[in-house]
């Protein structure tokens, strides 16, 4: 059988390996100088004032919700087309979640639907504290429109940009936080830049950054400016709130910092792969991704939609042909855990129709032209069968 083509794969260079080895030979495996260097690098790339590195995007989403004051009885809304972590983070805080249906073209949170739901909730006194738009596939949501709808009601915004580091919206990098309070990135190996496991929260707010720094490390600080004790001895630190151990290690940060050198290259290569798919699929009956005029996608995923009645057959054919297709995502609220919270089919029709048709094709920097042609040929064969 022909070689297996995964849907995503990390790209590790000799420079990445050397950077990790340097940390292993250094004095600090964690809480040394590399985590802050990685944070500064990402913050500078985004044009944001602060970046807080943590051990996963899930952790970043959790401390982002906490920093915005999400607690028991609060409401948080996100997109149904996301990894469960976007929504679970709100549940960790004791909040109730709901889902805003997606735009049928971009598959991202629909700003008009959000505005409508917020107006209704305002009338009923059930406004969410936070909304978490998700940049599915690496394409930014229409953040200007989402911000306009949310700020009308004083609702705060966390961007789940786990797919979107290196992408842009309205000419600015995703992570600039022009239209949000906090933006979160994931560095899981399938994502655009990896640290093994890891995540980061970026923000322009001093107070939010400070709260997230406390929460990632047990709620502990040694910063003299933050201590409650006026004349502390040398050994002194304070636990000021109930935080977590969500720290990133210097080993992981070294990989991420080194990977940042190639971010532009990664994005350029992913755009090229997307262009080849777009051309390859122009002639056959599959729906290729629509791009919002203001969004420059980072192309974490390349998703096609095929007729619902052929969906499972096409998917199975591709898997059987050694092509590691996937589906990102089943609407979160259809997961058994969420159904037990009271959600049922029909809640977000556009997301469910996407789920009936979507297939994620292989996209990663090292995919070869031959492999990509094989994907296109097998998709063509499968949809016309
Ligand atoms: C990967 C992902 C996460 C979780 O990232 P981790 O770093 O694995 O915790 C959250 N949201 C989305 C949209 C993701 O794709």
């Amino acid at each position: 059988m022909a070689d297996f083509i995964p849907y995503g794969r990390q790209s590790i260079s000799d420079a990445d390996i050397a950077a990790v080895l340097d940390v292993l030979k250094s004095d600090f495996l964690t809480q040394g100088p590399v985590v802050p260097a990685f944070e500064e690098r990402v913050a500078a790339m985004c044009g944001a004032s602060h970046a807080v590195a943590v051990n996963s995007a899930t952790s970043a989403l959790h401390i982002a919700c906490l920093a915005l004051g999400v607690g028991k009885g609060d409401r948080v809304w996100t997109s149904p087309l996301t990894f469960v972590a976007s929504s679970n983070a709100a549940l960790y805080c004791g909040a109730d979640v709901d889902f805003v249906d997606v735009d049928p073209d971009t598959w991202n949170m629909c700003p008009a639907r959000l505005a409508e739901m917020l107006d209704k909730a305002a009338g009923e006194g059930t406004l969410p504290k936070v909304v978490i738009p998700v940049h599915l596939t690496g394409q930014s949501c229409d953040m200007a429109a989402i911000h306009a709808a949310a700020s009308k009601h004083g609702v705060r915004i966390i961007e789940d940009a786990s797919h979107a580091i290196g992408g842009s919206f309205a000419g600015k990098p995703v992570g600039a936080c022009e239209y949000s309070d906090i933006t979160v990135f994931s560095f899981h190996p399938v994502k655009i830049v990896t640290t093994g496991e890891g995540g980061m929260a970026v923000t322009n707010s001093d107070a939010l950054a400070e709260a997230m720094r406390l929460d990632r490390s047990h709620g502990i600080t040694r910063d003299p400016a933050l201590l409650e004790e006026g004349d502390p001895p040398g050994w002194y630190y304070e636990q000021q709130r109930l935080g977590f151990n969500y720290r990133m290690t210097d080993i992981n940060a070294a990989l991420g910092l080194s990977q940042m050198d190639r971010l532009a290259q990664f994005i350029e290569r992913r755009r090229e792969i997307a262009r080849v798919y777009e051309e390859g699929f122009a002639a056959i009956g599959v729906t290729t991704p629509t791009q919002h005029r203001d969004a420059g996608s980072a192309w974490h995923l390349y998703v096609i939609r095929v007729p619902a009645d052929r969906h499972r057959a096409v998917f199975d054919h591709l898997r059987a042909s050694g092509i590691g297709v996937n589906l990102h995502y089943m609407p979160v609220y259809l997961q058994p855990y969420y159904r037990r919270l009271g959600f049922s089919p029909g809640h977000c029709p556009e997301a469910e129709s996407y789920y009936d048709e979507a297939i994620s094709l292989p996209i990663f920097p090292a995919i070869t032209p031959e492999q990509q042609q094989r994907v296109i040929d097998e998709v063509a064969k499968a949809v016309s069968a």
Side-chain angles (χ1 to χ4, degrees), residues 56-58 82-83 85-86 134 160 162-163 186 191 198 329:
S56 73
T58 306
T82 186
F83 185 56
S86 318
V134 179
D160 184 342
S162 292
H163 297 184
S186 171
K191 308 291 163 71
Y329 298 90

Short mmCIF file of all heavy atoms in Angstrom, two decimals, residues 56-58 82-83 85-86 134 160 162-163 186 191 198 329, ligand 1:
data_model
loop_
_atom_site.label_atom_id
_atom_site.label_comp_id
_atom_site.label_asym_id
_atom_site.label_seq_id
_atom_site.Cartn_x
_atom_site.Cartn_y
_atom_site.Cartn_z
N SER A 56 -0.59 24.33 28.10
CA SER A 56 -1.50 23.97 27.02
C SER A 56 -2.43 25.15 26.73
O SER A 56 -2.59 26.04 27.58
CB SER A 56 -2.35 22.74 27.38
OG SER A 56 -3.34 23.08 28.33
N ALA A 57 -3.05 25.10 25.57
CA ALA A 57 -4.07 26.11 25.27
C ALA A 57 -5.28 25.94 26.17
O ALA A 57 -5.97 26.91 26.50
CB ALA A 57 -4.49 26.03 23.81
N THR A 58 -5.54 24.71 26.57
CA THR A 58 -6.65 24.46 27.49
C THR A 58 -6.43 25.23 28.80
O THR A 58 -7.34 25.90 29.30
CB THR A 58 -6.77 22.95 27.78
OG1 THR A 58 -6.87 22.26 26.53
CG2 THR A 58 -7.97 22.64 28.64
N THR A 82 -15.62 23.59 17.36
CA THR A 82 -14.33 23.78 18.02
C THR A 82 -13.97 22.51 18.77
O THR A 82 -14.80 21.61 18.93
CB THR A 82 -14.38 24.98 18.98
OG1 THR A 82 -13.06 25.21 19.51
CG2 THR A 82 -15.33 24.76 20.16
N PHE A 83 -12.73 22.48 19.21
CA PHE A 83 -12.32 21.41 20.12
C PHE A 83 -13.00 21.66 21.47
O PHE A 83 -13.21 22.80 21.87
CB PHE A 83 -10.79 21.42 20.25
CG PHE A 83 -10.26 20.29 21.08
CD1 PHE A 83 -10.56 18.97 20.76
CD2 PHE A 83 -9.46 20.54 22.18
CE1 PHE A 83 -10.09 17.93 21.53
CE2 PHE A 83 -8.97 19.49 22.95
CZ PHE A 83 -9.29 18.19 22.62
N ALA A 85 -12.15 21.84 24.35
CA ALA A 85 -11.47 22.66 25.36
C ALA A 85 -12.02 24.09 25.42
O ALA A 85 -12.06 24.69 26.49
CB ALA A 85 -9.97 22.70 25.09
N SER A 86 -12.45 24.65 24.28
CA SER A 86 -12.94 26.04 24.27
C SER A 86 -14.10 26.19 25.22
O SER A 86 -14.27 27.23 25.86
CB SER A 86 -13.41 26.46 22.87
OG SER A 86 -12.56 26.03 21.87
N VAL A 134 -13.84 31.27 17.85
CA VAL A 134 -12.76 30.32 17.53
C VAL A 134 -12.39 30.50 16.06
O VAL A 134 -13.28 30.48 15.20
CB VAL A 134 -13.24 28.88 17.77
CG1 VAL A 134 -12.15 27.88 17.43
CG2 VAL A 134 -13.71 28.70 19.22
N ASP A 160 -10.13 32.20 20.71
CA ASP A 160 -9.42 30.92 20.68
C ASP A 160 -8.73 30.82 19.32
O ASP A 160 -9.34 30.45 18.32
CB ASP A 160 -10.38 29.75 20.91
CG ASP A 160 -9.63 28.41 20.97
OD1 ASP A 160 -8.47 28.35 20.51
OD2 ASP A 160 -10.21 27.42 21.47
N SER A 162 -6.16 28.91 18.63
CA SER A 162 -5.34 27.70 18.64
C SER A 162 -4.91 27.29 17.23
O SER A 162 -3.87 26.67 17.06
CB SER A 162 -6.12 26.55 19.27
OG SER A 162 -6.30 26.79 20.65
N HIS A 163 -5.73 27.64 16.22
CA HIS A 163 -5.42 27.26 14.84
C HIS A 163 -4.70 28.38 14.08
O HIS A 163 -4.37 28.18 12.91
CB HIS A 163 -6.71 26.99 14.07
CG HIS A 163 -7.53 25.85 14.58
ND1 HIS A 163 -8.68 25.42 13.97
CD2 HIS A 163 -7.35 25.03 15.64
CE1 HIS A 163 -9.20 24.40 14.63
NE2 HIS A 163 -8.41 24.15 15.66
N SER A 186 -2.39 27.58 20.77
CA SER A 186 -1.98 26.23 21.16
C SER A 186 -0.70 25.84 20.44
O SER A 186 -0.53 26.17 19.26
CB SER A 186 -3.06 25.21 20.78
OG SER A 186 -2.57 23.88 20.99
N LYS A 191 -0.51 21.63 15.59
CA LYS A 191 -0.76 23.05 15.32
C LYS A 191 0.41 23.65 14.53
O LYS A 191 1.36 22.96 14.20
CB LYS A 191 -1.02 23.80 16.63
CG LYS A 191 -2.11 23.17 17.51
CD LYS A 191 -3.52 23.29 16.92
CE LYS A 191 -4.54 22.35 17.55
NZ LYS A 191 -4.94 22.66 18.91
N GLY A 198 1.76 22.81 24.88
CA GLY A 198 1.96 24.19 25.32
C GLY A 198 0.88 25.11 24.80
O GLY A 198 0.15 24.77 23.87
N TYR A 329 -15.12 19.87 13.34
CA TYR A 329 -15.35 19.04 14.51
C TYR A 329 -16.81 18.62 14.51
O TYR A 329 -17.65 19.30 13.93
CB TYR A 329 -15.10 19.83 15.82
CG TYR A 329 -13.69 20.33 15.99
CD1 TYR A 329 -13.34 21.58 15.50
CD2 TYR A 329 -12.72 19.54 16.63
CE1 TYR A 329 -12.04 22.04 15.66
CE2 TYR A 329 -11.43 20.03 16.80
CZ TYR A 329 -11.08 21.26 16.31
OH TYR A 329 -9.81 21.73 16.46
C1 LIG B 1 -5.95 22.29 20.02
C2 LIG B 1 -7.07 23.17 20.44
C3 LIG B 1 -7.29 23.53 21.78
C4 LIG B 1 -6.54 22.91 22.92
O1 LIG B 1 -5.19 23.04 22.77
P1 LIG B 1 -4.21 22.25 23.76
O2 LIG B 1 -2.93 23.01 23.61
O3 LIG B 1 -4.12 20.85 23.23
O4 LIG B 1 -4.77 22.31 25.12
C5 LIG B 1 -8.29 24.44 22.06
N1 LIG B 1 -9.05 24.96 21.09
C6 LIG B 1 -8.90 24.62 19.80
C7 LIG B 1 -9.75 25.25 18.77
C8 LIG B 1 -7.91 23.71 19.44
O5 LIG B 1 -7.77 23.35 18.17
#
